Amino acid sequence: MLRRIARGNKKVQDVIKEIDAFPKVEDSYVSTSSFGGLVSLICWIGIVLLLYSEINYYYQPVMEYKYSVDNEADRQLELNIDITVAMKCNLIGADVVDIWGNSIGNTKLLQEELVPFELAENQKIFLQAQGALKGLTDKHKALGDMMADIGRKIVPRYDHGKEVEKNACRFHGSIPVHKVEGNFHILSGRSVNIPGMGHAHLQFGQVDKNFSHRIDGLTFGKRVEGMLYALDGEEKKAPVGDYSYQYYIQIVPTNYISRNYNIQTYQYTVQERKRSVDSRAGNHGTAGIAIKYEFSPITATVKEKEKELLPFVTRLLGIVGGIFSTSGLINLIITESYNWLCCCFTKKNASLR
């Protein structure tokens, strides 16, 4: 019984051998060469490099972008501001006014803090690192590249090591705003709300104005750790005289969806304008800082997608097979050309003799 099974298995093996599409060459018919070894070495190095590159590319996520109409246009959100102006707090005031006429003064929600305008060494180092990181992200315009690799941190507290003059006012806090056009402004004089008429800035006497300022943070909605915004770390030094600084902000509601997070934020682009205010020279206007904002009616959704496995495996196999086939063809061409040249040279020498 066992012999019959063994005979049957042997016949099956013989049938499989007959359909073998890869004929084997005896070792005695195979010869090696230094050039062939060099080609093989280059071949393996190329395979390793290309496989590494392909695997690295496979693990990089693909960003999918979708755009839709913002269906939360009536929603309120917070304007988070942290700005330092080179004037004392009793000389200036801050307000938010929107297109509906709503006005919120600094006395209600914004905190005022008398601080030195000059940065301490630890703050300078922090802002330099933040500026370098912003420079890297500014090169990438895709929304999916806006997430920074490090967590966003608040500018460290002043640590100068000695007493210095506190000649600046820091406004910081969160103000609820509607998703309509509006502006946040800082002007000379204290802000006073006038019922039924809005607000006004009252100034008594002549004041030397210096609207040099530094924006340590300006965001809309909930703060997102790890994200840098266009005005983070922005610093302006005003020349002598009255100057007006205007920032025009276009805000885009943005949703980020990935394996690690699902967040909603409000990215924005900004345009800047500054000019001297001098009525005698015909440059009319109001000296101060104005941040005018407008919300886009379109919501952008950035979704992280993984690459498919089957195309990835197909590319890996194509790399390996393609390099082996190409290297074998190159080896054959060079070897045959070398043998042909040697044969021609030998025949020429023989005819001369």
Side-chain angles (χ1 to χ4, degrees):
M1 181 71 177
L2 294 176
R3 290 180 179 178
R4 291 180 181 176
I5 295 175
R7 290 177 182 174
N9 291 338
K10 188 175 181 180
K11 292 180 180 179
V12 172
Q13 293 175 0
D14 292 340
V15 172
I16 293 175
K17 286 182 179 180
E18 291 178 358
I19 63 174
D20 185 6
F22 305 95
K24 308 300 183 292
V25 180
E26 296 293 339
D27 294 339
S28 57
Y29 296 108
V30 178
S31 61
T32 59
S33 64
S34 299
F35 178 76
L38 178 62
V39 172
S40 298
L41 179 62
I42 296 174
C43 174
W44 282 110
I45 292 175
I47 288 176
V48 171
L49 292 177
L50 289 177
L51 288 181
Y52 173 78
S53 175
E54 189 65 33
I55 293 173
N56 186 45
Y57 172 75
Y58 174 74
Y59 282 103
Q60 292 179 356
V62 176
M63 295 299 177
E64 181 183 54
Y65 301 89
K66 293 183 179 180
Y67 302 93
S68 59
V69 177
D70 184 11
N71 55 7
E72 297 181 348
D74 57 346
R75 174 187 172 188
Q76 265 196 340
L77 54 102
E78 290 183 336
L79 165 60
N80 308 297
I81 186 75
D82 188 349
I83 182 172
T84 302
V85 184
M87 294 178 67
K88 292 187 177 181
C89 296
N90 62 340
L91 300 177
I92 54 178
D95 291 278
V96 176
V97 181
D98 62 27
I99 197 173
W100 291 347
N102 298 320
S103 174
I104 301 176
N106 62 335
T107 56
K108 293 183 178 180
L109 298 171
L110 280 182
Q111 300 181 34
E112 298 178 5
E113 182 181 355
L114 194 60
V115 296
F117 188 74
E118 179 188 1
L119 290 172
E121 193 63 30
N122 62 326
Q123 294 176 319
K124 291 179 181 179
I125 294 174
F126 176 85
L127 291 178
Q128 286 175 359
Q130 188 182 68
L133 186 59
K134 281 181 62 180
L136 291 175
T137 57
D138 285 344
K139 296 178 182 179
H140 304 282
K141 300 304 180 183
L143 290 174
D145 296 326
M146 294 300 293
M147 296 300 294
D149 293 332
I150 65 172
R152 184 185 188 280
K153 299 179 180 179
I154 300 175
V155 178
R157 295 186 63 84
Y158 193 88
D159 184 15
H160 198 281
K162 62 180 181 180
E163 291 294 329
V164 294
E165 181 186 3
K166 295 184 178 180
N167 57 354
C169 186
R170 178 191 174 204
F171 295 95
H172 59 98
S174 299
I175 303 173
V177 296
H178 295 279
K179 296 174 74 172
V180 296
E181 184 179 347
N183 75 82
F184 170 86
H185 56 264
I186 298 176
L187 304 175
S188 61
R190 302 299 295 171
S191 175
V192 178
N193 289 325
I194 302 176
M197 298 181 63
H199 74 283
H201 287 260
L202 300 182
Q203 176 182 319
F204 300 96
Q206 186 66 26
V207 176
D208 292 332
K209 301 172 185 176
N210 182 5
F211 282 101
S212 299
H213 60 279
R214 181 175 58 255
I215 303 175
D216 293 322
L218 178 66
T219 62
F220 292 84
K222 184 179 178 181
R223 287 183 179 271
V224 179
E225 295 297 331
M227 184 171 288
L228 288 174
Y229 296 84
L231 287 177
D232 287 349
E234 192 75 14
E235 185 175 20
K236 300 293 183 183
K237 296 290 184 68
V240 178
D242 294 347
Y243 261 79
S244 172
Y245 291 90
Q246 295 180 334
Y247 298 91
Y248 300 91
I249 293 177
Q250 181 71 35
I251 307 162
V252 180
T254 309
N255 300 319
Y256 292 94
I257 303 173
S258 74
R259 293 173 295 179
N260 301 323
Y261 53 81
N262 186 350
I263 59 176
Q264 181 180 24
T265 184
Y266 292 86
Q267 290 292 321
Y268 60 82
T269 59
V270 60
Q271 292 181 331
E272 305 176 12
R273 182 191 178 194
K274 72 173 183 178
R275 65 185 182 89
S276 173
V277 177
D278 187 354
S279 300
R280 292 171 298 181
N283 299 325
H284 302 284
T286 303
I289 303 166
I291 301 175
K292 301 181 180 181
Y293 58 86
E294 181 181 1
F295 288 88
S296 170
I298 302 299
T299 297
T301 301
V302 184
K303 186 176 182 181
E304 183 180 298
K305 293 182 64 178
E306 296 182 355
K307 297 183 177 70
E308 296 182 4
L309 180 61
L310 183 59
F312 168 67
V313 175
T314 303
R315 288 194 297 270
L316 292 183
L317 296 178
I319 288 172
V320 176
I323 290 181
F324 269 117
S325 301
T326 304
S327 61
L329 180 62
I330 293 174
N331 184 29
L332 178 62
I333 293 174
I334 294 178
T335 302
E336 292 297 328
S337 300
Y338 176 77
N339 293 334
W340 180 77
L341 290 174
C342 289
C343 182
C344 292
F345 184 75
T346 303
K347 290 181 178 180
K348 185 177 180 181
N349 288 339
S351 63
L352 291 175
R353 290 178 185 177

